[in-house]
Amino acid sequence: MTESYQSTLNYIYSFVNYETQNRPRDAVNYDLRRVVTLLERLDNPQSKYKTVHIAGSKGKGSVSALIAAALIAAGYKTGLYTSPHLITFNERIRINDTLISDDEVVELIDRLKPEVEIINREAVYGKLTTFEIITVLGFLYFALNKCDFGVIEVGLGGRLDATNVILPESCAITSISLEHTEILGNTLREIAGEKAGIIKPGIPVVTSPQADEALQVFIRISTEKKARLIQIGRDITWEEKGFDTGSQSLRINGRLHQYDVTIPLIGEYQLENASTAAGVLETLVEKRFYISPGDIARGFNQVKWPGRLQILKQKPWIVADGAHNPYSAAKLRDALKKHFQFERSTLIIGTSSDKDVSGIVSELAPIFNRVIVTRSAHPRAQSIDVLIDEFKRHGITAEASGDISTALPLALANTGEKDLICITGSLFIVAGAIEQLA
C-alpha cells in the first residue's frame, strides 16, 4: 500500500462515517440534496450509463453480483458498487469484475476534494459523509470508464440512502427483516417503507418473498407510483435441481423464459436470490436490452461473491458466512445441515453491538458442540462478555478469544478432519478469517 493511497483512505474516513458510528434516525443526517449538489458539480456522472438499484435486508449483495455477472456475460461493460468491503476498500467499486486500482482511487479523490470542500464549507444541507463521498466516487468512476451499466447496491435503507439519487432501469428489494431499527424503524412495516423509497414512478420493481406486513407496503407504494411489481414466488418461481458442497442447480420459471442454471453459491436463500436477479434481468430484456437465457446461465455460473457460505478449507471444513441477524443465522444453520457432513462442529462468532444477539444465538446454538466468542477491531464490535452471557442462557459455556487470529488456531487445535468450523456473526469477523487462511 503506497503512502498516497493510505493518505487518500485517511481522507475518505476523516468525515462522519455511519458505518462505524451510531446513526441517529433523522433526515438531517441523510439529506440527499448535498449528494445531488456534488453530482451536479461533476456534470451528473450517474446519468451517463444505465443503472439497476438493489435494496433489502439480506441478499442484496448476492443479487447485485448475480445481475452484474449476467450483464457482463451479455457483453455489457458493467460497474458494480457494493458495501461494505471484506478485505480491501477497492472491492466496493469494480468494473467487469476488476477492482478499482489504488492509483485510480487516489486520482479521483484528488479530483473530488475541491468540490467536497466547497460543499462542506457552505454546508447548506449539512456536510458530506464518508459513504456519500464513496458513492459519488463510484458513480464518477463508472462514467469516466464509459460503463454501459452500473449495478448499485443500497448501503442502508433506501429512501435516504446516498445511492437513491439514480433513476434506474429496474430495481429490486430482497427479503426484509428487522435490522438497524434505531434508524429504519421498529416494525417490518416501517422498515419496508424505508426500503420502498427506491421505487420510482413507472420503474419496475422485483421483490423477493416477503412477510405479508412488508409486502403490503410494497404493493401500496408501487401502485401509487404506477411501478409494476413483480413478486418472486408468485410471478417467478424456482425449483431446486440438485446440489453439491460448493454449488447448486435450479430451474427458474421466469415470465419470459425458463432458465436452467448452476450457481457457485450455497444455501437455499441463494436460489431465491438467483430468481430475484433473473426477474430484474427480464425487466431489462423487456426494455430491449439483449440478454439471452444463455447469458444469464453463464453469468450466474461465473459469479463470485466471497464471505457468503464460503468454503475456506476442507478436512476439516472451515466455512465463513456474514450472517448478522436471526433470519440469516437460521438460513446459515439450515445450509450447514444440508450441504455438509461432519462429526463435530465448532462455532466462532463475533457480532456488532447493534445486532439482535439473543435472536442470532438462539438460531445457531443448537447445532454446535463448541463455541468460541471473539470480536473484530471494528468500533461497533459487540463485547465478548455479552455474547458469552447469551450462550450461557442456552446452557453453553463459550470460550473467549481476543480476535480471529487467536480464535481460529484455538478451534483447529481440537478439530478432526471430519469436523466443521463455522465463522460468522459479522463480515468483519469473516474478513479476518479469509485473510488468515489466504
Side-chain angles (χ1 to χ4, degrees):
M1 183 183 297
T2 65
E3 186 176 340
S4 58
Y5 176 67
Q6 184 58 59
S7 297
T8 298
L9 291 186
N10 292 343
Y11 172 80
I12 291 170
Y13 289 121
S14 69
F15 299 92
V16 172
N17 185 3
Y18 290 137
E19 288 183 1
T20 60
Q21 300 168 21
N22 291 326
R23 296 160 281 195
R25 189 187 178 212
D26 62 80
V28 173
N29 294 281
Y30 301 95
D31 195 322
L32 293 185
R33 289 176 295 182
R34 58 179 175 255
V35 179
V36 170
T37 302
L38 178 55
L39 288 167
E40 286 174 346
R41 296 182 68 90
L42 298 166
D43 194 25
N44 286 311
Q46 79 286 0
S47 66
K48 310 294 186 189
Y49 44 88
K50 305 299 184 182
T51 54
V52 174
H53 206 190
I54 314 297
S57 297
K58 181 67 178 174
K60 62 183 186 289
S62 297
V63 170
S64 299
L66 285 158
I67 292 169
L71 288 171
I72 293 166
Y76 293 102
K77 189 173 187 179
T78 303
L80 176 62
Y81 177 69
T82 59
S83 60
H85 58 272
L86 266 179
I87 310 296
T88 66
F89 171 87
N90 311 56
E91 295 166 28
R92 295 170 181 250
I93 301 167
R94 63 186 76 192
I95 296 175
N96 283 9
D97 218 24
T98 299
L99 309 189
I100 186 173
S101 71
D102 293 359
D103 288 344
E104 288 167 323
V105 173
V106 172
E107 179 185 339
L108 290 182
I109 288 295
D110 282 345
R111 182 169 173 173
L112 288 177
K113 277 180 181 178
E115 309 298 341
V116 169
E117 286 164 12
I118 289 169
I119 291 170
N120 280 357
R121 184 168 61 245
E122 297 175 354
V124 176
Y125 307 117
K127 293 186 176 183
L128 288 158
T129 67
T130 290
F131 184 75
E132 290 165 352
I133 293 167
I134 297 170
T135 299
V136 172
L137 170 65
F139 289 166
L140 181 61
Y141 183 63
F142 297 158
L144 291 173
N145 284 276
K146 295 181 166 46
C147 284
D148 300 308
F149 270 96
V151 180
I152 311 299
E153 180 194 4
V154 167
L156 177 72
R159 181 175 66 94
L160 296 173
D161 187 76
T163 64
N164 200 29
V165 295
I166 59 174
L167 182 61
E169 297 295 320
S170 182
C171 65
I173 304 175
T174 62
S175 293
I176 301 301
S177 56
L178 289 173
E179 58 156 8
H180 301 297
T181 53
E182 76 284 3
I183 308 157
L184 302 180
N186 296 310
T187 66
L188 282 181
R189 183 178 291 106
E190 288 180 314
I191 292 173
E194 292 296 320
K195 308 284 187 184
I198 72 165
I199 300 175
K200 305 294 192 302
I203 303 301
V205 54
V206 179
T207 176
S208 301
Q210 305 287 350
D212 188 65
E213 186 179 357
L215 180 60
Q216 292 309 312
V217 173
F218 299 145
I219 291 172
R220 174 178 59 80
I221 292 178
S222 60
T223 301
E224 289 171 359
K225 296 191 177 181
K226 295 181 171 55
R228 182 170 43 137
L229 181 66
I230 298 159
Q231 295 180 43
I232 303 302
R234 186 194 72 173
D235 304 312
I236 296 173
T237 60
W238 75 89
E239 310 160 45
E240 184 180 357
K241 306 298 286 185
F243 64 90
D244 58 28
T245 300
S247 66
Q248 48 191 343
S249 300
L250 68 153
R251 172 170 293 164
I252 301 170
N253 302 305
R255 296 176 303 108
L256 307 181
H257 296 284
Q258 275 190 340
Y259 310 91
D260 288 306
V261 301
T262 299
I263 54 175
L265 304 168
I266 56 176
E268 189 169 350
Y269 59 90
Q270 294 291 9
L271 307 179
E272 179 181 300
N273 290 337
S275 302
T276 302
V280 171
L281 291 160
E282 285 196 331
T283 64
L284 299 180
V285 171
E286 290 175 316
K287 292 191 171 193
R288 307 292 185 187
F289 295 101
Y290 184 79
I291 307 159
S292 72
D295 295 331
I296 292 174
R298 190 165 62 256
F300 282 14
N301 182 251
Q302 295 170 349
V303 72
K304 299 179 183 68
W305 198 235
R308 284 75 177 176
L309 264 171
Q310 182 180 357
I311 299 169
L312 303 181
K313 189 177 183 295
Q314 300 182 28
K315 296 183 178 181
W317 293 114
I318 301 180
V319 182
D321 184 77
H324 58 268
N325 60 34
Y327 172 84
S328 53
K331 296 294 186 183
L332 169 60
R333 177 198 64 215
D334 294 343
L336 292 175
K337 290 163 68 175
K338 176 178 179 178
H339 287 273
F340 298 92
Q341 292 185 331
F342 50 89
E343 292 182 354
R344 293 179 59 80
S345 56
T346 296
L347 174 67
I348 298 176
I349 185 169
T351 72
S352 295
S353 58
D354 58 347
K355 303 306 178 186
D356 179 0
V357 171
S358 176
I360 294 169
V361 170
S362 65
E363 296 291 354
L364 294 176
I367 68 164
F368 289 97
N369 305 108
R370 182 186 181 200
V371 174
I372 299 172
V373 172
T374 188
R375 60 176 291 158
S376 70
H378 196 277
R380 290 191 294 113
Q382 180 62 268
S383 159
I384 287 176
D385 291 341
V386 169
L387 281 163
I388 286 177
D389 288 345
E390 195 58 47
F391 279 103
K392 194 174 295 182
R393 292 190 184 95
H394 289 263
I396 295 171
T397 302
E399 302 167 54
S401 181
D403 58 39
I404 190 66
S405 68
T406 56
L408 198 48
L410 182 63
L412 284 166
N414 293 294
T415 299
E417 284 194 352
K418 296 182 179 180
D419 296 341
L420 176 140
I421 297 170
C422 176
I423 303 152
T424 192
S426 156
L427 279 176
F428 306 109
I429 296 292
V430 166
I434 291 171
E435 281 191 294
Q436 195 169 344
L437 291 170

